[in-house]
Amino acid sequence: VAALVTLTTDFGARDPYVAAMKGVILSIAPEAAIVDLSHEIAPGDIAEAALFLAATLPYFPHGAIHVAVIDPGVGTARRAVAARIGDGYFVGPDNGLLTLVAKRLDLAAMRVIDNPTVMRPAISPTFHGRDIFAPAAAHLARGFAFDQLGGGVEAPVELAWPEPVPIAHEAYQGRIVHIDRFGNAVTNVPADWIAAPARAWLSFGDHRLDGIRTTYADVPAGQPLALAGSTGYLEISINGDHAANRLGLQRGDAITVGGAGLIDAGHAALDPSAAKR
Amino acid sequence: VAALVTLTTDFGARDPYVAAMKGVILSIAPEAAIVDLSHEIAPGDIAEAALFLAATLPYFPHGAIHVAVIDPGVGTARRAVAARIGDGYFVGPDNGLLTLVAKRLDLAAMRVIDNPTVMRPAISPTFHGRDIFAPAAAHLARGFAFDQLGGGVEAPVELAWPEPVPIAHEAYQGRIVHIDRFGNAVTNVPADWIAAPARAWLSFGDHRLDGIRTTYADVPAGQPLALAGSTGYLEISINGDHAANRLGLQRGDAITVGGAGLIDAGHAALDPSAAKR
Amino acid sequence: VAALVTLTTDFGARDPYVAAMKGVILSIAPEAAIVDLSHEIAPGDIAEAALFLAATLPYFPHGAIHVAVIDPGVGTARRAVAARIGDGYFVGPDNGLLTLVAKRLDLAAMRVIDNPTVMRPAISPTFHGRDIFAPAAAHLARGFAFDQLGGGVEAPVELAWPEPVPIAHEAYQGRIVHIDRFGNAVTNVPADWIAAPARAWLSFGDHRLDGIRTTYADVPAGQPLALAGSTGYLEISINGDHAANRLGLQRGDAITVGGAGLIDAGHAALDPSAAKR
């Protein structure tokens, strides 16, 4: 089996940046299988990318090498790093991209990439994706030793991520963290905080949705619902319609989740490790 | 040769859904070659997807496994199915996605997917793409027997597709079924209904285009034309311009095709098998 | 190592055209590894595609086969060609797509594609991508001899590309040739015309940027700068913002570069070969 290299960027499909990275990887590791995850992350949006990676990397096989280049700090002092994450590898900037993945997969080790052997000879100060991250990933794909990439990193940069906060007895304030293509509003409230779905509720603005549902068709067409989404967080949806447009929901909006059906979410909120799966 | 798994979805490139499916497939069938067909089908648009699949699947080699997830009914009673189509396989929801493909390739057998062996252990009620269709396709790619997926399906769901209807002697009313990126308006009138292109015409609104042309340059730049499009249907185009924008054409619009140059289209319209190729 | 076939088109991701090409390639050359470079080139925009190819093809390994279908002249007398470019191959229309690549890689030979052996039996007059270019590339991938594709081409069509022109002592007028997803305005002035970055300047409209920088963080956040971009041309950027939107820059706009820091750019401008790398 050839080594698997996945790519996640904010480069879009129209500029030559992704293609240049692919050429660099295949020039070093011709047998690598390159898999596009997304190149449509919003430009410079580390939080969106972190959520994307947390929803995708756990599904990939042993040994996969995940390159993620959402890198607004390119050319500054931010570090270029590689990490062992779960049973695969991450290669990219040290800017918080792994913060949410690390709740689901073990972040076992991180190295700065400073060994010139795994870089292109000339390094553009504005495109480390092509000149550092792509070649480093390709060298890993060929069997280059992770420990030889560079010195160890003790404390990766952490993303400032909004965890739900307790605001009352059996009530937490969360946030909408993503609107997907279908108009589903994904919140930051882990779905496994809900022990008794029928006895929980989710509210926002003037709306209160009683009960956490399992699928869109649990309510009549055109009706809103709260449900446990496929990425592991509570979502606000409308059966057969675009919830965000219809309900005026935006990323960053506050929501409240509450009721007797919550597990000891207070404990979970205070101890993030309780939310791991 | 590694097994080929193609993906067609309405998930877009920004959300994590396609990437999760790729991870699931490669975890089960690491040697599979995944080929993206499109992830930009309009959300929930089964007719657009059916037309897309009919224009692409016939070109793929023996044994290819085509996963299509345009699945507005996920979480309802709609069946998850696999089918032998031509000399390859289809995996996806039973909601009419194969109706147009089946006019071009033999739909030899269909099975419901209900064997837990080919599914992920926990199934999200809103994301069968990741938890049922991707793993089922990957198991087929590894050689899992089609007949063991589940029970046979006698009558697949049929798409309500607008066939051209006779409206006068040597005249049929058709519909625009797709506008492509270049502004070409694709109709539902099979190009092989035209036996004598010079003696046929196509009309819409106040326009009448005499003769069915073969390429854009058959008329001066900026002029509209009707031609036999590359997907096998008549199209309305403008040489060097965006026909739909210039002529105000939209999907669903009625058009008329007529003239002595038509073959016995009445027969073809009554007997859809006559339009097979 | 399986043969590598890259695809660059203006077909977008929603229409069935790219997928049909992939099917044709894999039907002929099942072991080929298909790599998407871009399908989002602006429709019919040969100059954008030529710039894209020049920024990507040099990174690909020996033997790669690059199919590029930006083909507004399909169905006219324009030639279908293949070329040896660097140590790989190009397959596409002869309409100037290679003009900028040929400044970076040797264009060693060009052949018209007229051998029916490498085409599909029926050729759509509007989709040579599927019926000529894809199969020809696939046959090359299987080892078909380049020289057997068809007769030699002496003079490929050249793109009318705006080279910078001298307008005063130590001053050249250039053009903005591309706006990227981040808002960087890429000019047609090769970055290697700058020998002493501190003693060069770039101006447009009422703005004059003194000094050519190396990365965005060389100026405070929100400030504009001129820098040597990663594709080898001077760019206008804003640290942390979208320069084109903020400064009102558009493709085609004139800019001026000057100062004592320029190398003998006059010589380079008169002798394009001096700009090769």
Side-chain angles (χ1 to χ4, degrees), chain A residues 47-48 50-51 99-100 103 158-164 177-178 187-188 233 251:
Chain A
E48 180 174 309
L51 193 64
T99 299
L100 301 180
K103 293 185 178 192
E158 289 283 320
L159 177 69
W161 179 252
E163 296 290 348
V177 293
H178 184 64
T187 76
N188 63 344
Y233 293 98
R251 179 171 150 184

Side-chain angles (χ1 to χ4, degrees), chain A residues 9-42:
Chain A
T9 77
D10 59 355
F11 291 157
R14 185 166 170 183
D15 293 316
Y17 309 129
V18 171
M21 288 179 63
K22 291 179 177 179
V24 168
I25 291 168
L26 292 167
S27 290
I28 295 168
E31 309 245 7
I34 297 179
V35 176
D36 293 303
L37 300 196
S38 178
H39 302 295
E40 299 297 333
I41 302 294

Side-chain angles (χ1 to χ4, degrees), chain C residues 147-218:
Chain C
D147 291 348
Q148 298 301 310
L149 291 172
V153 173
E154 292 304 313
V157 169
E158 289 284 319
L159 178 69
W161 179 251
E163 296 290 349
V165 293
I167 56 172
H169 178 61
E170 293 180 345
Y172 288 79
Q173 185 183 79
R175 296 272 168 196
I176 293 174
V177 293
H178 184 64
I179 307 291
D180 79 7
R181 191 183 196 218
F182 301 93
N184 301 303
V186 182
T187 76
N188 63 345
V189 181
D192 56 9
W193 282 22
I194 307 299
R199 290 184 293 131
W201 49 263
L202 187 152
S203 68
F204 55 95
D206 295 336
H207 291 76
R208 177 172 159 142
L209 303 170
D210 283 305
I212 305 299
R213 314 298 179 128
T214 54
T215 191
Y216 313 118
D218 289 344

Side-chain angles (χ1 to χ4, degrees), chain A residues 105-149:
Chain A
L105 298 174
D106 275 331
L107 178 54
M110 186 177 274
R111 297 263 166 187
V112 69
I113 302 172
D114 61 12
N115 186 337
T117 306
V118 301
M119 302 178 192
R120 283 173 48 83
I123 295 173
S124 162
T126 58
F127 194 7
H128 290 183
R130 180 190 64 197
D131 297 336
I132 297 179
F133 300 127
H139 282 284
L140 284 175
R142 290 190 63 194
F144 189 91
F146 175 79
D147 291 348
Q148 299 300 312
L149 292 172

